[in-house]
Amino acid sequence: MADNNDEYDLLVIGAGSGGVRASRIAAGHGAKKVAVIEPQLQHGVAPHYSAIGGTCVNVGCVPKKLMVFASRYPDEIQLSSGFGWDGATAGSFQWDKFMEAKNKEISRLNRVYKDFVLGKAGVEIIEGLGSLNGKNAVDVKSTATGETKTLQAKNILIAVGGWPFKPSIPGIEHAITSNEIFYLPTQPKRIVIVGGGYIALEFACILAGLGTQVDVVYRKDLFLRGFDMDVRLHLKEEMERHPNITLHFKMNPKEIVKKDDGSFTVTTECGVSLETDVVMYATGRTGKIENLNLDSAGVETKGTFIPVNDYSQTNVDNIYAVGDVTDRMALTPVALMEGHRLADTLFGGKDRPVDHKMVASAVFTNPEIGSIGYTEEEAVEKFQNVTIYKTKFRAMKVSFPGGESKTLFKLIVDDATQKVVGCHMVTNGAGEMMQGVAVAIKMGATKEDFDNTIGIHPTSAEELVTMRTPSYSYKDGVKVEK
């Protein structure tokens, strides 16, 4: 064991959302020696793609949201004629120009994390690959030199995140994932996106908005498993309306063949063939644990993930894990919460277990989804007696110029307590709306609290506080129509 002066109070493997937050807060609480280990400090292509700031900053939330913004302009311009603007056209999207600006912005954020978020907090940044060497040591292979050194630590935090999963089928080596999509040199004219989760659907809407012809292939009968059924059906209707999107349900690719001209043929198990320029897989993510040498410390795993307790502690008393690698709730703000609470508990003299109850989320499809709490199906199973309020309409901005897109709002109320236990919406701007609603629901707002709140007029969001008549209810788990 090294001298105590050489021992870290906290050594973090992975400088993503959870790892950065934990290290910064730990240093702020007075932890004497804190460091984070990350393979690269500037984003880029293979093998890592990500860098300091993690998946969200480099190949996730941030660049994706920039692409969402870019993809929305054609719809705005299309509606503009209904407001009196003659001759407005979307023009042509310059993929290379956008990517250059995107890369510049992500590089700026990399520097912000390095120099300000961590640097000013007094956290040491080590560029290299970290792996366990027993329960109190981490081997670090330097990215710059390839040399390995061993660091001693009282506490070790694993915050390495996840990695896109691709199944083993012939030709899978030709498929890209949500890593490579941000570094394509040119915009594909056609793309096949395989998957039915939010990543697949977000990129389907983004690329369709930018002018790419998109085929979404999903092996089951409806996408977004785990979301409220009304939300799933509503988004399906909206996506089917888009001229650049074709949805293929109950289909599963069995082979990808590269043709002489560089394009691809995707053949499904049911015999359908799709011609495309790019194949993208968004079929889930795995924990990025393969190079961590967890066995050296006896850290238990479950598949590719690391199980932890409510204090983010593994089965080894001084080794912790937060974020996507724990397979609890793979959202950036959740990883931030987990890292923050761990640092508060270890170094801040506080007792702060994680809190995964009533976590709001958004899906940046077109239109967007905002959700918090129970789905209708979950609420009925848990509470038995619930009342459903929902409305579906064309928003003023859409209806006036003759647009077709519709908005969905839905509230789920537990009859026993009258608390709003679920809120779901499908409309552009849902993420912004849901953040405010989430505060109220997290605090335990009742339906009466919503009813007593004066609406902001004219807005779509005022529907949340003006839905007075139930759509239907459940008694003892049985649906009762009004």
Side-chain angles (χ1 to χ4, degrees):
M1 179 67 68
D3 183 88
N4 286 339
N5 291 329
D6 296 325
E7 188 178 30
Y8 288 86
D9 281 351
L10 179 64
L11 196 52
V12 182
I13 305 176
S17 300
V20 167
R21 177 63 63 90
S23 60
R24 180 173 68 84
I25 299 302
H29 281 318
K32 293 181 180 178
K33 201 171 182 184
V34 180
V36 293
I37 304 164
E38 177 66 30
Q40 60 188 38
L41 304 185
Q42 282 289 319
H43 72 99
V45 295
H48 304 297
Y49 293 99
S50 186
I52 189 169
T55 297
C56 178
V57 168
N58 296 277
V59 286
C61 327
V62 173
K64 174 199 70 183
K65 192 66 180 290
L66 296 176
M67 294 182 79
V68 168
F69 291 142
S71 71
R72 297 278 176 83
Y73 283 100
D75 283 351
E76 296 286 323
I77 294 170
Q78 185 178 7
L79 292 175
S80 68
S81 62
F83 288 94
W85 289 93
D86 288 336
T89 62
S92 60
F93 180 70
Q94 302 300 307
W95 180 273
D96 55 348
K97 182 178 180 181
F98 172 84
M99 285 297 173
E100 182 181 356
K102 183 270 296 183
N103 290 337
K104 182 178 179 180
E105 173 64 7
I106 304 307
S107 294
R108 183 187 71 83
L109 293 175
N110 291 150
R111 293 191 296 273
V112 168
Y113 271 82
K114 176 178 174 289
D115 297 334
F116 296 95
V117 177
L118 292 175
K120 287 201 170 185
V123 176
E124 181 183 353
I125 303 168
I126 303 170
E127 190 172 18
L129 283 167
S131 60
L132 299 185
N133 184 352
K135 65 175 289 187
N136 288 105
V138 174
D139 290 336
V140 182
K141 183 179 180 181
S142 170
T143 299
T145 67
E147 297 178 353
T148 299
K149 63 180 178 180
T150 301
L151 306 176
Q152 305 293 331
K154 295 176 183 176
N155 299 285
I156 296 171
L157 172 60
I158 299 169
V160 293
W163 195 256
F165 168 77
K166 293 196 294 185
S168 296
I169 64 169
I172 194 65
E173 69 275 10
H174 301 307
I176 69 168
T177 69
S178 56
N179 285 338
E180 295 88 354
I181 190 70
F182 294 110
Y183 295 99
L184 288 182
T186 58
Q187 179 183 353
K189 294 181 179 179
R190 303 167 298 173
I191 188 170
V192 169
I193 300 179
V194 183
Y198 69 89
I199 294 175
L201 302 184
E202 286 178 334
F203 278 105
C205 292
I206 287 168
L207 289 163
L210 297 177
T212 297
Q213 291 295 321
V214 180
D215 286 283
V216 178
V217 178
Y218 184 50
R219 60 191 176 90
K220 295 190 176 182
D221 58 359
L222 187 61
F223 46 49
L224 288 182
R225 179 171 57 89
F227 283 75
D228 187 271
M229 182 58 74
D230 281 327
V231 168
R232 299 168 72 188
L233 291 171
H234 189 93
L235 184 65
K236 175 178 176 286
E237 293 173 3
E238 292 294 321
M239 290 183 68
E240 285 178 332
R241 189 179 290 120
H242 200 292
N244 293 344
I245 297 176
T246 304
L247 302 177
H248 305 272
F249 294 108
K250 296 184 178 180
M251 282 191 187
N252 198 30
K254 69 175 183 179
E255 184 180 30
I256 303 168
V257 175
K258 186 173 184 178
K259 299 163 70 174
D260 291 341
D261 63 359
S263 64
F264 302 93
T265 300
V266 178
T267 304
T268 69
E269 293 172 350
C270 59
V272 173
S273 293
L274 300 171
E275 304 299 322
T276 188
D277 301 311
V278 172
V279 183
M280 177 180 171
Y281 264 75
T283 50
R285 294 173 67 84
T286 59
K288 199 176 178 183
I289 65 171
E290 63 274 8
N291 297 316
L292 291 178
N293 195 25
L294 299 175
D295 289 343
S296 71
V299 176
E300 293 179 356
T301 59
K302 184 176 181 181
T304 62
F305 298 100
I306 301 175
V308 292
N309 63 18
D310 286 345
Y311 292 90
S312 298
Q313 185 182 46
T314 70
N315 64 300
V316 180
D317 61 0
N318 70 310
I319 299 179
Y320 303 84
V322 299
D324 292 5
V325 76
T326 66
D327 197 27
R328 290 180 284 185
M329 190 176 286
L331 295 169
T332 293
V334 171
L336 293 170
M337 175 270 294
E338 291 169 357
H340 198 135
R341 290 182 175 229
L342 173 63
D344 283 346
T345 299
L346 289 180
F347 303 103
K350 303 175 183 179
D351 182 6
R352 298 200 74 197
V354 297
D355 180 6
H356 295 120
K357 296 177 182 177
M358 292 296 174
V359 175
S361 64
V363 180
F364 293 102
T365 45
N366 188 11
E368 293 175 17
I369 297 169
S371 292
I372 185 172
Y374 295 90
T375 66
E376 179 178 325
E377 299 79 14
E378 292 168 341
V380 171
E381 181 178 352
K382 182 174 179 62
F383 302 107
Q384 292 293 296
N385 298 317
V386 300
T387 300
I388 308 298
Y389 299 80
K390 63 181 179 181
T391 183
K392 193 173 182 178
F393 60 94
R394 287 191 299 160
M396 180 189 294
K397 182 179 178 180
V398 175
S399 63
F400 179 77
E404 295 297 324
S405 182
K406 291 185 178 180
T407 286
L408 171 70
F409 284 112
K410 181 173 184 178
L411 294 177
I412 302 168
V413 179
D414 170 27
D415 289 351
T417 63
Q418 284 299 298
K419 287 184 178 181
V420 178
V421 295
C423 178
H424 309 277
M425 58 182 75
V426 187
T427 184
N428 282 336
E432 301 289 347
M433 294 182 207
M434 184 55 70
Q435 184 63 82
V437 176
V439 176
I441 293 179
K442 181 71 173 177
M443 294 176 67
T446 64
K447 182 60 169 64
E448 185 178 11
D449 292 326
F450 273 67
D451 294 342
N452 286 335
T453 301
I454 305 300
I456 302 172
H457 184 74
T459 65
S460 293
E462 67 183 302
E463 295 288 331
L464 290 168
V465 298
T466 58
M467 287 189 285
R468 298 288 195 270
T469 304
S471 300
Y472 50 88
S473 62
Y474 289 83
K475 300 301 179 186
D476 298 323
V478 179
K479 188 174 183 178
V480 179
E481 296 287 356
K482 292 295 180 183

